[in-house]
Amino acid sequence: MLFKANSAAVYGIDASLIEVEVDFSGTVANEEHFHTVGLPDAAVRESRDRVRAAIKNSGYLIPPTFITINLAPADLKKEGSGFDLPIAVGLLGAYGALRIDNVGGDLSKFLLVGELGLDGGVRAIAGMLPIAILAREKGIPNLILPAANAAEAAVVEGVNVYPVSSLLEVVELLNSAVMGAIQREPVRVATEALLGELQQFSVDFRDVRGQHTAKRALEVAAAGSHNILMIGPPGSGKTMLAKRLPSILAPLSFDEALETTKIHSVAGVLDAAQGLVTQRPFRSPHHTISDAGLIGGGILPRPGEVSLAHNGLLFLDELPEFPRNVLEVLRQPLEDATVTIARASMSLSFPARFMLAAAMNPCPCGYFNDKSRECLCTPPMIQRYVAKISGPLLDRIDIHIEVPAVQYKELRGGAAAEGSAEIRKRVLKARDRQRERFGKAGDRIYANAQMNTRQIRAHCELSADAERLLERAMQQQGLTARAHDRILKVARTIADLEGAESVAVPHLAEAIQYRTLDRSYWA
C-alpha cells in the first residue's frame, strides 16, 4: 500500500517541498527490511530506528513487512532529522491508524516537519521560518510542527500553524480533522506588536566620556549605514563605542525582520521564545575565526557571521589580528551584499548586507602617535602590522576615524554626555529623508551606503567649489575611484543629517576628513 505526506528541506535560506512516499508489501521474518531512498544523509537514514521506536512507544505496532521510504524529488540531497514526523505519519497512514476520510483521502493539505524522540515526543528543528513561507507559497494551508518552533512559524500570515508535542497528538489532530480542516485554533502572533515594542538597550552613549569626534563619525555611519574603522591606543574606548552603535541604528522594518529571522532560523541560533528578530543583529566574532566561520560553509552550506549580521552590525575588534585570508573574503559581501558558497553538490547564496565596524591599534604595542606613552615598535614592525589589512579592503570602509586616549579632565568631568536617544532621533530623521528620496526615484535601497554609481551621480551633485575641493583631495592623497564614491556617499549622509537638499563644501570637507587615516596616519 502507498501513502504520501508533505514535508520540506531547507537549502540556503529557502525551503523546497519534499514528498514523503511510504510503501509496504509482503511479510518478512525480521524488521531489517526498512529502506530509505532519495539521497538521504546519515541523519535521515537513521530515522528508521527513531521512527520505529517512537511508533512502538506511542502504542502502535508495525507488522514485519518490507517498507520503502522515498523522499522525492530524488535528485536533491536530504539532510537533517525533520523528516521523522512525516515518515512516521506516512507509516501510520499506510497501516490504517489514520482516518483517511477525515483528511479528504490524503494529506495534501498538510505539511509536517519535526524530529522524533524514542518516546514519541516531537523535537524542534532548525529552519522553520523558510518552511512556513514555503507552505504559504505552495498553497498548503496547514503546518504541523514541533511546539518549540510555533512562535517562529506563526509570524507568516496565510498558514495555519499547529504545534504538537508528541506523535500521539499528531494522530489525534489529524483524526479530528474534517475534510482537511483541523478542528482546533491555530497559533497566531501579532507581528506588528513585536516590532512596535520599545527598543531598549543595556548600553548608552551617555556612558562614553569625551571622544566627540568619534561619536560624530559613528552618528554619520549609523545615519547612512556606512562602514567605519576606528584607530587608537588600548583603552581609548573603541570597543565601548562600537557596542553602543546598535543603540542609535534605525529599527527593523517587517520585511527586514523576516529576512533576518530566516537566516537565524536556518543557522539554528534563533530564540525560540521570541520567534522574530526584532532588533538589528550585533555580531562580534573572535579574531581566531576561520574564513568558513566568517563567510559560511559546510557540505550543505550554512550561513556564517557575515550573513548572521545581515541588516545589522558586524564588529571586528583588533582587525589586524584576523588572518589575512579571513579578511580578504570580506571583499565580496562588502561590495555585493551577498555571499556565494560553491560546493561539488550545489552552490548557494546567502544575503550579507551588513554595516561593518572595525577597531585596531595603530601598531603592535598600540602607542604609535600617542602623546602620553612611548611607542616601542620599529618601522618594519609597524609596516608588517598595518600590511595585514589590504588597500582594497580599506577602500571598502567608508569612514576611518582616530580615537585618541581620553584625557583625565574629560574622564572625570561632570558635564553629562549626549545620550543614544538624542543621537538616534537625528539618525532616524536622516533615514527618513533617504527613504523618501530613494522611494521617489524608484530605487530599491534603504541607505546612502547602498547607492550605486548611477544613483551617486543623481543624488550627489556638487557645486563648482565642491568639485575643486574633491579634485584637490583626490590628487593630494592619491585616493582611488572607489574612495571617490565613498566620499560622496558619506557627504550625502552628512547633508541629510543637517537637512540640506544638496551636498555643500562643509559636508564634503568632513567626508574627506574621514578618508585621510589610511594615507597619512602612519606617515
Side-chain angles (χ1 to χ4, degrees):
M1 182 177 177
L2 179 66
F3 198 87
K4 299 179 181 180
N6 291 321
S7 190
V10 177
Y11 302 96
I13 62 168
D14 297 312
S16 295
L17 188 64
I18 303 297
E19 188 174 48
V20 179
E21 300 176 321
V22 179
D23 180 75
F24 75 93
S25 60
T27 302
V28 295
N30 54 58
E31 297 180 345
E32 295 304 318
H33 293 283
F34 191 130
H35 298 286
T36 304
V37 297
L39 289 183
D41 73 342
V44 179
R45 287 194 297 270
E46 290 173 355
S47 66
R48 64 180 185 180
D49 299 314
R50 294 192 297 271
V51 168
R52 184 184 288 119
I55 290 177
K56 178 182 177 182
N57 292 322
S58 297
Y60 298 97
L61 293 177
I62 297 180
T65 55
F66 192 94
I67 299 171
T68 302
I69 309 293
N70 180 43
L71 305 177
D75 59 342
L76 286 179
K77 188 172 180 62
K78 317 305 186 303
E79 184 184 54
S81 56
F83 299 106
D84 290 2
L85 184 59
I87 289 175
V89 169
L91 284 170
L92 293 174
Y95 286 111
L98 297 179
R99 298 171 187 166
I100 304 301
D101 292 340
N102 281 11
V103 292
D106 58 25
L107 294 179
S108 60
K109 294 184 179 180
F110 299 87
L111 194 150
L112 303 99
V113 284
E115 177 185 336
L116 287 177
L118 299 185
D119 61 350
V122 182
R123 297 172 178 169
I125 65 168
M128 185 56 67
L129 181 58
I131 293 173
I133 294 174
L134 172 73
R136 182 182 62 185
E137 292 174 348
K138 295 295 184 181
I140 301 175
N142 304 309
L143 176 60
I144 299 178
L145 75 173
N149 292 124
E152 175 185 349
V155 301
V156 180
E157 296 180 355
V159 178
N160 299 320
V161 175
Y162 298 100
V164 292
S165 301
S166 67
L167 182 59
L168 272 177
E169 187 178 351
V170 177
V171 175
E172 293 173 359
L173 199 67
L174 292 173
N175 283 339
S176 68
V178 177
M179 296 303 294
I182 295 179
Q183 305 303 299
R184 187 174 110 180
E185 284 298 317
V187 173
R188 305 291 185 193
V189 172
T191 54
E192 292 184 1
L194 284 176
L195 289 174
E197 291 178 356
L198 181 64
Q199 302 284 313
Q200 295 184 348
F201 299 90
S202 59
V203 293
D204 195 286
F205 270 100
R206 198 179 303 277
D207 306 328
V208 182
R209 297 289 182 177
Q211 302 299 7
H212 303 294
T213 303
K215 288 180 182 178
R216 167 63 176 177
L218 289 171
E219 179 182 339
V220 173
S225 192
H226 299 289
N227 303 321
I228 184 169
L229 171 63
M230 294 176 284
I231 306 173
S236 59
K238 302 183 298 295
T239 304
M240 186 179 187
L241 287 164
K243 288 183 176 179
R244 282 152 179 77
L245 188 51
S247 67
I248 62 173
L249 295 178
L252 285 169
S253 66
F254 178 72
D255 290 338
E256 287 178 316
L258 200 62
E259 191 175 28
T260 305
T261 305
K262 284 175 67 175
I263 300 171
H264 285 235
S265 173
V266 169
V269 298
L270 182 66
D271 184 357
Q274 187 176 10
L276 186 71
V277 175
T278 58
Q279 292 186 353
R280 294 191 181 274
F282 178 84
R283 306 294 298 184
S284 180
H286 193 261
H287 60 75
T288 56
I289 192 172
S290 66
D291 52 356
L294 188 64
I295 296 297
I299 299 176
L300 281 179
R302 288 287 184 264
E305 289 292 329
V306 296
S307 295
L308 293 173
H310 181 61
N311 290 324
L313 179 67
L314 177 68
F315 176 51
L316 301 182
D317 203 2
E318 304 295 343
L319 189 64
E321 300 299 330
F322 286 79
R324 175 78 178 249
N325 66 300
V326 173
L327 292 180
E328 290 306 301
V329 298
L330 283 173
R331 291 195 196 182
Q332 183 197 5
L334 285 176
E335 196 71 25
D336 303 330
T338 186
V339 170
T340 301
I341 304 172
R343 294 292 182 266
S345 58
M346 65 179 62
S347 179
L348 296 175
S349 293
F350 296 102
R353 186 178 60 247
F354 58 90
M355 177 181 164
L356 174 65
M360 63 177 289
N361 296 331
C363 65
C365 77
Y367 296 104
F368 179 77
N369 271 351
D370 193 332
K371 298 179 180 179
S372 61
R373 298 283 295 270
E374 181 182 358
C375 176
L376 304 177
C377 304
T378 63
M381 291 171 60
I382 297 176
Q383 185 178 6
R384 285 194 299 270
Y385 181 76
V386 175
K388 294 180 180 180
I389 308 172
S390 67
L393 181 59
L394 281 175
D395 266 351
R396 287 170 168 83
I397 300 177
D398 303 359
I399 298 174
H400 311 155
I401 189 69
E402 182 181 1
V403 184
V406 182
Q407 299 300 314
Y408 178 80
K409 289 183 178 180
E410 291 181 321
L411 192 62
R412 299 296 298 170
E418 189 176 32
S420 296
E422 292 81 4
I423 300 174
R424 196 182 196 202
K425 288 179 182 178
R426 296 194 295 268
V427 169
L428 292 180
K429 287 182 180 178
R431 281 296 184 97
D432 289 339
R433 294 187 184 99
Q434 294 166 50
R435 278 195 294 269
E436 183 180 357
R437 178 189 308 122
F438 299 133
K440 287 181 179 178
D443 299 323
R444 294 186 175 182
I445 59 176
Y446 304 97
N448 288 330
Q450 300 165 11
M451 288 192 292
N452 57 32
T453 303
R454 177 185 58 81
Q455 293 159 343
I456 291 173
R457 292 186 180 277
H459 304 304
C460 302
E461 295 183 359
L462 300 179
S463 64
D465 291 341
E467 285 283 2
R468 285 192 293 271
L469 175 62
L470 182 57
E471 181 182 6
R472 188 165 60 251
M474 294 286 293
Q475 292 174 350
Q476 291 178 353
Q477 299 179 22
L479 300 177
T480 65
R482 183 180 287 114
H484 165 273
D485 290 350
R486 304 279 174 177
I487 288 172
L488 290 176
K489 291 178 182 179
V490 173
R492 179 66 265 177
T493 299
I494 296 170
D496 289 337
L497 281 169
E498 295 187 4
E501 290 297 327
S502 59
V503 177
V505 171
H507 309 143
L508 191 62
E510 183 178 352
I512 293 171
Q513 171 193 329
Y514 295 142
R515 295 296 308 183
T516 58
L517 291 178
D518 58 333
R519 300 306 177 201
S520 63
Y521 189 82
W522 291 279

